[in-house]
Amino acid sequence: MKLDRREVVKELLTERRDLLVVAGLGACAWDITAAGDTPLNFPLWGAMGGATMVGLGLALAQPKRPVLVITGDGEMLMSMSSLATIAAQRPENLAIVVLDNEQYGETGHQATHTAMGADLPAIARGCGFRKASAITKMSALPALRRAIHGKDGLQFASIKITPADYPKVLPPRDGAWLKHRMRVALLGERAHE
Ligand SMILES: Cc1ncc(C[n+]2csc(CCOP(=O)(O)OP(=O)(O)O)c2C)c(N)n1
């Protein structure tokens, strides 16, 4: 069964408290913003293939906080090797959720490799992730949300979603400003040092 991306993201970000969220470029960035913009969001405007490594850096720098990367299958496929590095580092507070519509939706719905059999949870497991799931039901999401918010160990989840396009809900556009906004929220006065 294919799920609705906005409903999935809204559920994962419910009662998020100190959760830090990195979103891959395009629709995932619009999704997290639709759920509510906050300084604890870091939506990427470019750097395709960079979301998981930004998440890894953040998780290592902020080990007390849960960190969630939400990205697309196209973005994830572009940086598959990052999964091996992340599994080797194994931060307990990091989760990677791929919203898999089997398309490069943002650029015109071209099919990605997940439409042709590439199995992202299997790839994550092969890279060393102990928890890597394929989610097909909304009813599985509250448990995933609790595990992510509760820093219940490194995990990967792929969620098959419909390829529907939604109205864009754009976050602030300046990447340097977004980075500074999160640093101030995390470090207070030390952000200016
Ligand atoms: C290096 C690079 N290559 C290509 C693009 C163009 N581009 C932007 S978004 C995108 C598709 C993203 O697809 P996916 O991550 O699956 O997200 P979806 O839009 O399907 O949710 C592409 C190809 C880019 N921005 N940067």
Side-chain angles (χ1 to χ4, degrees):
M1 210 172 89
K2 295 194 171 180
L3 305 185
D4 177 286
R5 61 185 311 143
R6 288 273 159 98
E7 281 179 24
V8 166
V9 171
K10 192 172 158 207
E11 168 60 32
L12 291 177
L13 301 188
T14 297
E15 292 175 26
R16 57 182 284 180
R17 297 190 186 90
D18 61 347
L19 179 73
L20 307 179
V21 179
V22 176
L25 81 173
C28 293
W30 324 148
D31 292 337
I32 68 162
T33 308
D37 187 40
T38 135
L40 302 186
N41 278 357
F42 190 68
L44 288 167
W45 274 97
M48 186 167 175
T52 50
M53 290 310 256
V54 171
L56 174 63
L58 203 49
L60 294 175
Q62 292 286 323
K64 293 192 177 144
R65 291 180 181 255
V67 177
L68 168 61
V69 176
I70 299 179
T71 195
D73 48 303
E75 209 272 349
M76 184 71 253
L77 285 160
M78 207 158 159
S79 61
M80 279 199 299
S81 59
S82 70
L83 294 175
T85 301
I86 291 166
Q89 294 277 334
R90 208 175 296 288
E92 291 294 301
N93 56 330
L94 178 62
I96 296 165
V97 169
V98 175
L99 300 180
D100 183 2
N101 56 8
E102 304 185 348
Q103 298 181 350
Y104 297 100
E106 196 67 21
T107 47
H109 300 278
Q110 302 87 355
T112 67
H113 301 67
T114 61
M116 301 160 206
D119 181 340
L120 291 173
I123 291 163
R125 271 193 293 279
C127 286
F129 278 66
R130 291 178 189 145
K131 295 182 192 170
S133 53
I135 291 190
T136 53
K137 289 184 188 148
M138 279 305 284
S139 58
L141 288 181
L144 178 66
R145 170 168 59 82
R146 283 193 293 275
I148 293 169
H149 294 200
K151 298 182 294 222
D152 192 20
L154 176 64
Q155 56 190 308
F156 181 96
S158 164
I159 304 178
K160 291 285 182 184
I161 56 161
T162 65
D165 282 328
Y166 280 88
K168 291 182 172 61
V169 183
L170 302 183
R173 196 179 282 271
D174 182 333
W177 187 86
L178 285 165
K179 183 191 76 170
H180 190 64
R181 177 177 78 159
M182 182 180 266
R183 290 190 81 243
V184 169
L186 294 176
L187 304 174
E189 277 304 305
R190 285 193 298 133
H192 303 288
E193 287 171 7

